[in-house]
Each structure stands twice: as C-alpha cells, then as structure tokens.
Amino acid sequence: MEDLYFPINDDLELVISCDPEPASDDFSPSCRTKSNYKDGIVLEYSYGKNHLERWREIDTTLKTMFDGFEHVANANSKGVGSAPK
C-alpha cells in the first residue's frame, strides 16, 4: 500500500504517492509525484519522504528549472549566444 496525497485546492494538478512508514530502519521511504507541467507534459519525480512537507517548493523549483532549459534551448535555436563565425 501507498499513502496518496492530493492538493487541497484546485490550483495545482498533481498526485503524490509515498511509501508507508517502514517496519525497520533498513528502508528509506520515498514519495513519487506526477505533476502537470505544461499542456501535454507531465513531470514524474521522486524524493525522500522526509521532504514531503516541502512538496510545493520541490514542484515549483523543478518547473522553474525546466523553464530555464526551455529558455536556453529557444535562445540557442535563434542563434543567441552562439560563437561568431
């Protein structure tokens, strides 16, 4: 079984599923998130369950990082930042 978490409000579209608390210290529980990023794109990522309370910060930071990748890719496709020939 997994613990499932959903946002209280409707501003984010994501689902978080986490391992139940372990019976022993030999296992480190984790959480997996599926989060809508952009139209038709869903990010799936994992982190330690001890970071669950920071789920919103983690989600926002990852989306910001991917926005940065997109910005660089768009700039490179337009020749911005390329070396002179």
Side-chain angles (χ1 to χ4, degrees):
M1 284 302 284
E2 294 180 321
D3 297 326
L4 292 175
Y5 301 90
F6 302 92
I8 293 173
N9 53 19
D10 294 331
D11 66 336
L12 293 173
E13 296 176 355
L14 58 78
V15 175
I16 302 170
S17 60
C18 297
D19 297 322
E21 289 301 318
S24 71
D25 290 338
D26 297 336
F27 176 73
S28 178
S30 64
C31 294
R32 288 156 305 287
T33 300
K34 289 185 179 183
S35 178
N36 285 345
Y37 171 54
K38 292 186 175 187
D39 191 32
I41 301 173
V42 175
L43 299 179
E44 295 184 38
Y45 53 90
S46 300
Y47 47 88
K49 190 172 182 178
N50 57 322
H51 298 290
L52 177 59
E53 65 185 29
R54 296 177 47 218
W55 69 266
R56 188 179 300 269
E57 176 187 350
I58 293 167
D59 190 66
T60 301
T61 300
L62 283 171
K63 289 175 180 175
T64 300
M65 182 177 67
F66 276 88
D67 288 343
F69 294 156
E70 181 181 29
H71 177 74
V72 169
N74 287 336
N76 286 341
S77 71
K78 294 176 183 171
V80 176
S82 59
K85 296 180 182 182

